[in-house]
Amino acid sequence: MSFAQEPHLFRLQFYTTAPYPCSYLDKQIACSQVAVPAHLVNTPVYSRLIRQGFRRSGMFVYRPHCENCQACVSLRVPVTHFCPSRSQRRTMQKLKHLQVRTLNLHYSEEHYNLYQRYQQKRHPGGGMDEDSCEQYQQFLLRSPVSSYLIEYREPAGDSAQSGILRMVSIIDVLDDGLSAVYTFYDPDQPQAGYGTYGVLWQIEYAKRLSLSHVYLGYWIHGSPKMTYKVNFEPFEALSLQGWQRFCRETPGNSQAEGVHR
């Protein structure tokens, strides 16, 4: 894709990484296209990049660039058209008592401890379950754009800071939407629906900010880690023809199964 017509992007350079093992598909080799230099990436620039399929991890801005695989599909939710399912409405009702705070990025020992518990129980052996404090901060607390921590607590006492920490989300606030960077939550209550509630809250928050989309990152058909993303419908998927809207008719019979980058 050419960036010649993008005035905010023409000073960036894009290079392809060396091959590395894919994190999502067994026995697959992946490559990424990376935007450099990082200091030129700010909120307006990243807003344009994310519409072209890029994501960020800390200061690292990338998109899949695999020679023989196009399984990664960028998804976003058009918030004004989103219609929660019956199950999602139940989750919203069940967790609406959580106290939510929007905070600037900062290090919290309490957040880090929850992150470690989440990784060790939800993603053991995935590498991130051994993240050091420094790795955690580089991954989630370093950002070149407008980013925030969203903190969800079980009420206890009069202060919003005194409740039990249940979930933390990191979001980017961009020109046309929110980007859901990462969420981690209490792994001892796997049926609570915290992850679903986090996305639903972000969709409502985007509406309050008069933003049009919530970007959910990449979806891969056949990857259990990604299945939840197509539950927020109608959603839009990025293809060679641009962003196209899809809506699942029945579970296991998704029109999104035919989406390719």
Side-chain angles (χ1 to χ4, degrees):
M1 181 178 294
S2 172
F3 296 96
Q5 303 304 315
E6 297 285 354
H8 293 282
L9 305 181
F10 75 98
R11 296 175 60 194
L12 289 175
Q13 297 182 16
F14 300 86
Y15 73 87
T16 302
T17 66
Y20 56 90
C22 180
S23 301
Y24 299 103
L25 299 177
D26 292 339
K27 301 179 181 179
Q28 291 288 335
I29 299 298
C31 289
S32 294
Q33 186 181 54
V34 181
V36 293
H39 73 268
L40 293 182
V41 178
N42 54 25
T43 297
V45 169
Y46 185 56
S47 297
R48 289 172 176 258
L49 288 172
I50 201 169
R51 290 195 291 270
Q52 298 183 36
F54 282 82
R55 295 288 289 175
R56 73 169 187 88
S57 176
M59 303 295 288
F60 183 74
V61 177
Y62 68 96
R63 67 179 174 185
H65 195 67
C66 306
E67 183 175 355
N68 298 312
C69 179
Q70 295 187 341
C72 292
V73 179
S74 294
L75 292 190
R76 67 185 187 184
V77 179
V79 299
T80 57
H81 297 282
F82 171 70
C83 183
S85 67
R86 183 178 302 174
S87 174
Q88 289 166 346
R89 290 195 296 270
R90 287 197 298 266
T91 297
M92 293 170 68
Q93 183 66 24
K94 180 173 66 174
L95 296 177
K96 67 178 184 179
H97 66 284
L98 293 179
Q99 294 178 330
V100 184
R101 293 199 302 162
T102 302
L103 307 169
N104 291 325
L105 295 184
H106 70 281
Y107 176 75
S108 160
E109 190 75 21
E110 184 183 25
H111 293 175
Y112 177 54
N113 289 338
L114 179 62
Y115 173 83
Q116 285 187 308
R117 288 174 50 219
Y118 172 81
Q119 294 295 347
Q120 290 164 4
K121 289 199 174 185
R122 298 283 297 183
H123 305 293
M128 293 169 68
D129 55 331
E130 299 179 357
D131 276 1
S132 67
C133 178
E134 177 62 24
Q135 289 171 311
Y136 163 78
Q137 293 184 72
Q138 288 183 352
F139 172 41
L140 294 179
L141 303 183
R142 294 188 64 198
S143 170
V145 301
S146 300
S147 303
Y148 300 91
L149 289 166
I150 311 298
E151 188 183 83
Y152 305 79
R153 291 182 180 273
E154 202 81 39
D158 297 330
S159 171
Q161 303 180 47
S162 63
I164 301 170
L165 182 65
R166 295 299 190 192
M167 180 167 63
V168 176
S169 295
I170 294 83
I171 63 170
D172 295 335
V173 181
L174 306 177
D175 291 354
D176 73 329
L178 299 182
S179 174
V181 178
Y182 200 75
T183 292
F184 53 95
Y185 50 83
D186 185 347
D188 295 325
Q189 301 187 58
Q191 305 303 318
Y194 291 128
T196 295
Y197 185 75
V199 176
L200 295 171
W201 186 91
Q202 290 174 40
I203 291 171
E204 290 302 313
Y205 189 47
K207 289 181 182 178
R208 295 203 301 272
L209 296 179
S210 298
L211 298 172
S212 57
H213 296 94
V214 172
Y215 290 85
L216 296 181
Y218 302 118
W219 170 80
I220 300 175
H221 176 57
S223 173
K225 296 179 183 179
M226 304 288 194
T227 301
Y228 76 93
K229 296 185 180 183
V230 294
N231 292 330
F232 299 91
E233 53 186 349
F235 56 86
E236 296 176 346
L238 182 60
S239 71
L240 294 175
Q241 290 72 43
W243 291 95
Q244 297 180 312
R245 186 168 298 179
F246 291 86
C247 185
R248 297 193 310 165
E249 295 179 347
T250 58
N253 184 29
S254 174
Q255 295 181 38
E257 294 174 9
V259 174
H260 298 283
R261 289 190 297 116

